Each structure stands twice: as C-alpha cells, then as structure tokens.
Amino acid sequence: MRKVLVTGGLGFIGSHTAVELLGRGFAVVIADNLSNSRAEVLDGIAAITGQRPVWANVDLADPVACRSFLAGHPDLAGIVHFAASKAVGESVQKPLLYYRNNLGSLCHLLEHVAAHPACAFLFSSSCTVYGQADSLPIRETAPIKPAESPYGNTKQIGEEILRDATKAHSFRAIALRYFNPIGAHPSARIGELPLGVPQNLVPFITQSAAGLRGPLEVFGNDYPTRDGTCIRDYIHVVDIALAHVYAIERMLAGAGTEPVEVFNLGTGTGSTVLEVIAAFERATGVKLRWSFAPRRAGDVVAAYADTQKAAAVLGWRAERSLEQAMADAWRWQQSLPRAPQ
Ligand code: WQD
C-alpha cells in the first residue's frame, strides 16, 4: 500500500487531506507536534474514515528528531508538507521562530527526499506570495511581490528552496498556492480549530454567531470594490484536500516535466466580506452581528485565482459553493464545546 507522510496532519488542511488520502486507499502517517492542533483530531479522522493513521509527535524543525523519525519510514511514496507556523501577525512579532520553524522543517524533509528521490513532495504554499497582484484573476505566472510578513516570506523562500533543491538533486516537487481555505468536513467531525481569538474571517464569523465572541468587525468599507470591502477567493477545505490527492497521484504517475510545478488552489471567484456575511446568513438562517471598523494593516484589496492551470494539468476544480462552506463551518462550530479556546 502506498504510504504518505502528512506533516501537520492534525491541523486544519492537513486533517482534511489525511481523510481524502485514506479515502483513496493510501496509508497515512501523520507527523504533528501539536503546536497549533489537538490530538483529538485523530479521533475525528478515524470516525470519518474508519482508519486511525499512525501519529508521531515530532518537531520537524529539530534535525535530530526529524532524521530519526524519517529513518523509520524509508518507504514513503510521498510527503505532503503542511507543518508550519501560519499566523501573519505573530510572524511579525516572532520572525526568527517563523524562519527557524518553517524553513528548518522544510530543509530537513527535503534532505530525506534528496536521499529518496522517488518520494513525491507537495509543499503547502499560499496566495500570499502574490501580494497585491497587478491583474486579476491571478495566474501562477504573476510576479512574486515583496512579502508583507515573515510568514509570507517563509512561503516565498520555501518555494525558492524547492527550486534550488530539485535542481541540485534528482527529485521533483509540487507547490500548491492556497487562496482562502474555509469550511469543515460535512460530517462535522473535523474542522478549523483556531487557538485564541480567530484572526481569519470565517472562524470569527462562526464564533461570533455562536455567541463566543462579540460582533464581527469588518475591517474597512472604503476599498475600491463593489461594496467597499475586500475581495478574497474563499475555497472549501475539502476541495483543497482533494487537490492534494490529485497532485500526489500526478507525481506518483511520473507526469510533469518541470522540477517544481506550481498550482493555484482557488474557486476563481472573488467574494467581498459583506457577500461572505450574506452567504453565512443565507446558509444558516442566523443573523450575524457586525459593524464596520478601520482597515487592517497588510490587507490587499482583492485576490482571486485563475484556476485554468489546475483544471488543465491536475484535472481538478473546486466544486463546493461558498454557502456550502458556510453551512459546513457552522455545523462544525455547533459541534464544539461552548467555551472559547
Ligand atoms: C479575509 C478578509 C480581512 C477578519 C490569511 C493569510 C493568508 C492565508 C489565508 C495562510 C480580509 C477581513 C478578517 C475579521 C474582517 N493563510 N476580515 N474581519 O488575510 O485574506 O489571508 O488567511 O496561508 O496567508 O494572510 O484572510 O480571513 O484574515 O481575511 O473584516 O475579523 O476578511 O480584512 O479582507 P486573509 P482573513
């Protein structure tokens, strides 16, 4: 059976990807040090799939621990690498933690792939590498803009490390640039578990609607958009997870010629903050309390994906709607304990 390592597999996108890989017949090993996740996520994965992946609590940024862990898995068909610190604001306060953790873990994993070149490698990248793109929708060939945060810089540098490492060694990799992943598994057994006050829009909406937070603050209403609020490409996390299965299958089939292939993962549709609120209210019947607030530093006005390359090359398209994502996110929120984390 083809075995795939999912690093950060107890996290939001990682756990949903583990579920879809198991559903496609892969054996899954999870490496996760619980720095931004909870061990109970494993129960959710088992409840959905009927299989309980092997889980190693390992710090991949620790070279000795990472090498020792990987020595126990010389037969990996692939590595899907999610494990990284990802809070934009925190990265500004603690840049060295972000560079050490995000880039150190990547280098340690790539050392393994260099020694086992048949092992496919997927890198979790982000639309944040584009900054405010010059034209929309954003294609993979859009210029990379100077990063707005150390977090975003770790994604840009991560892609450069992939390019240099695949040149020097005989292996290939795929980088997947996520737009805005939202929602939860329809079973409500796994979903987003933001620790502390949610920084992202959708988890704040569901926690506010659940009465765990105050009214939503809409950051800015004077942007040059159709209703004055920022535009993003919100994509259901299950669609994101399925794209990883398509990408790993592509690599295992030996398709592709470029050392590093890059794909945008989005729906191709932009939604304003007010449209997201309206979609939530339509999907759930819950009236959201919100008010306008000043703009948030670092926000780009608009970002949404050109999805042609992923469709043509991966054969993958997002299929779930914004409303479906809202309904799934709300069902997940209602399954959680009432106390804010
Ligand atoms: C979306 C929109 C906010 C909260 C971030 C990371 C990016 C990626 C996805 C990892 C913006 C507005 C938000 C709130 C609001 N993460 N908003 N009130 O900033 O597009 O992307 O998550 O890869 O790297 O930067 O997502 O959900 O924070 O914001 O009005 O309480 O919602 O201003 O317009 P963002 P977000």
Side-chain angles (χ1 to χ4, degrees):
M1 183 185 275
R2 299 176 300 177
K3 182 165 78 170
V4 172
L5 167 63
V6 179
T7 75
L10 297 181
F12 179 36
I13 305 174
S15 56
H16 288 79
T17 300
V19 162
E20 298 307 330
L21 286 167
L22 288 164
R24 289 297 176 97
F26 287 95
V28 170
V29 174
I30 288 176
D32 195 305
N33 68 355
L34 300 182
S35 60
N36 189 25
S37 57
R38 295 207 187 87
E40 301 90 276
V41 171
L42 213 51
D43 301 330
I45 295 171
I48 296 168
T49 64
Q51 304 173 65
R52 194 175 190 81
V54 168
W55 164 46
N57 183 342
V58 55
D59 176 4
L60 299 170
D62 173 339
V64 174
C66 185
R67 286 189 194 113
S68 163
F69 164 69
L70 289 170
H73 296 281
D75 56 343
L76 291 175
I79 296 175
V80 189
H81 180 40
F82 295 102
S85 303
K86 63 159 196 169
V88 172
E90 183 188 47
S91 76
V92 175
Q93 313 302 326
K94 303 175 183 173
L96 296 178
L97 180 142
Y98 272 67
Y99 288 118
R100 186 183 59 77
N101 186 47
N102 293 6
L103 301 180
S105 56
L106 174 62
C107 289
H108 301 150
L109 292 167
L110 292 178
E111 286 166 359
H112 175 86
V113 183
H116 302 79
C119 180
F121 191 83
L122 298 192
F123 178 63
S124 167
S125 190
S126 167
C127 65
T128 202
V129 303
Y130 298 117
Q132 177 57 70
D134 301 327
S135 65
L136 295 168
I138 304 173
R139 302 177 70 117
E140 286 85 353
T141 51
I144 303 302
K145 296 284 184 71
E148 300 262 342
S149 70
Y151 161 75
N153 208 21
T154 66
K155 293 304 182 184
Q156 291 184 5
I157 298 169
E159 291 193 15
E160 289 170 31
I161 289 172
L162 282 185
R163 273 188 281 280
D164 291 343
T166 53
K167 273 192 206 119
H169 306 281
S170 59
F171 69 88
R172 294 179 45 245
I174 286 182
L176 297 171
R177 292 175 180 164
Y178 314 147
F179 280 67
N180 286 58
I182 61 167
H185 193 270
S187 68
R189 299 306 299 263
I190 54 174
E192 196 164 6
L193 277 172
L195 304 183
V197 178
Q199 298 306 303
N200 293 138
L201 178 64
V202 173
F204 196 100
I205 284 178
T206 58
Q207 287 194 14
S208 175
L212 304 181
R213 304 285 171 201
L216 170 74
E217 289 187 317
V218 175
F219 298 144
N221 67 345
D222 57 352
Y223 286 99
T225 65
R226 49 187 176 267
D227 63 18
T229 63
C230 293
I231 292 173
R232 295 288 185 276
D233 186 333
Y234 298 94
I235 175 167
H236 198 295
V237 63
V238 172
D239 279 323
I240 293 267
L242 286 166
H244 288 75
V245 178
Y246 282 60
I248 207 103
E249 294 277 19
R250 173 176 172 79
M251 292 202 74
L252 294 178
T257 51
E258 299 167 271
V260 181
E261 288 186 308
V262 178
F263 297 97
N264 285 339
L265 298 188
T267 67
T269 301
S271 302
T272 70
V273 176
L274 297 186
E275 288 164 351
V276 172
I277 293 170
F280 175 80
E281 294 183 335
R282 278 196 307 275
T284 63
V286 173
K287 187 92 180 80
L288 194 69
R289 300 164 299 149
W290 62 273
S291 62
F292 285 121
R295 292 184 173 192
R296 179 174 70 175
D299 274 338
V300 298
V301 179
Y304 52 94
D306 180 306
T307 59
Q308 295 174 78
K309 185 178 177 186
V313 177
L314 287 184
W316 168 90
R317 276 192 182 285
E319 294 170 355
R320 290 151 184 85
S321 67
L322 179 61
E323 285 192 39
Q324 190 172 346
M326 289 301 169
D328 292 339
W330 180 233
R331 198 178 312 112
W332 163 247
Q333 181 67 59
Q334 291 177 294
S335 78
L336 294 173
R338 295 281 305 154
Q341 307 308 319

